[in-house]
Amino acid sequence: MRCIPLLLAALPLSAPATAHATPPGPGVTGRVLHHTTVGDTDYILRRVTVPPGQATGWHHHDGPLHAVVREGTLSHYAAACASDGVYGTGETVYEPPGPGNVHIGRNLGTDPLVLDVLYVLPHGAPLSRDEPNPGCPFE
């Protein structure tokens, strides 16, 4: 019991700053169109809508992702903060899996961005895993 005050005195007066995950922006929605499981793999087809000026938030996926831009323009950025692609209506997008592939999708246009997304995930994995902003001047 005598050690407790010494331990408390050794603690910093304020907690160190931590990076927090960046959730999707207001109004970003997703609706599952189809879900099937084959063996240990989930195949989930989802329609994602991102309003003008909003973004998906920084994240990664546990499996590969394939998408088609149905409406609008997707501005895609990797953790290096540089654009790694701009995709218009009818174009396809591929996102490789894993925590080494942190990215964000942004709608910099004036019209809604609508994507049809196929997630190929290990059975039971979440659609995505939120990540903190890697230091980019935008969310």
Side-chain angles (χ1 to χ4, degrees), residues 59-107:
H59 63 281
H60 77 272
H61 307 280
D62 291 340
L65 178 144
H66 306 270
V68 175
V69 178
R70 291 291 175 206
E71 298 175 29
T73 302
L74 168 66
S75 296
H76 198 273
Y77 293 80
C81 304
S83 172
D84 61 358
V86 177
Y87 305 91
T89 301
E91 292 188 283
T92 60
V93 181
Y94 170 76
E95 294 177 349
N101 294 299
V102 173
H103 57 274
I104 190 170
R106 301 171 69 199
N107 181 355

Side-chain angles (χ1 to χ4, degrees), residues 48-65:
V48 176
T49 302
V50 181
Q54 297 303 319
T56 62
W58 291 97
H59 63 281
H60 77 272
H61 307 280
D62 291 340
L65 178 144

Side-chain angles (χ1 to χ4, degrees), residues 3-139:
C3 293
I4 292 175
L6 292 174
L7 290 173
L8 291 174
L11 293 175
L13 293 177
S14 63
T18 56
H20 297 285
T22 57
V28 175
T29 61
R31 178 173 54 95
V32 173
L33 303 175
H34 186 74
H35 181 176
T36 191
T37 301
V38 177
D40 292 333
T41 304
D42 288 335
Y43 298 88
I44 302 165
L45 180 60
R46 190 168 174 242
R47 179 154 295 154
V48 176
T49 302
V50 181
Q54 297 303 319
T56 62
W58 291 97
H59 63 281
H60 77 272
H61 307 280
D62 291 340
L65 178 144
H66 306 270
V68 175
V69 178
R70 291 291 175 206
E71 298 175 29
T73 302
L74 168 66
S75 296
H76 198 273
Y77 293 80
C81 304
S83 172
D84 61 358
V86 177
Y87 305 91
T89 301
E91 292 188 283
T92 60
V93 181
Y94 170 76
E95 294 177 349
N101 294 299
V102 173
H103 57 274
I104 190 170
R106 301 171 69 199
N107 181 355
L108 302 177
T110 57
D111 297 317
L113 166 63
V114 180
L115 304 165
D116 282 348
V117 182
L118 175 64
Y119 302 81
V120 182
L121 301 168
H123 180 62
L127 295 172
S128 64
R129 296 185 187 274
D130 289 346
E131 294 285 351
N133 182 326
C136 302
F138 53 83
E139 294 283 326

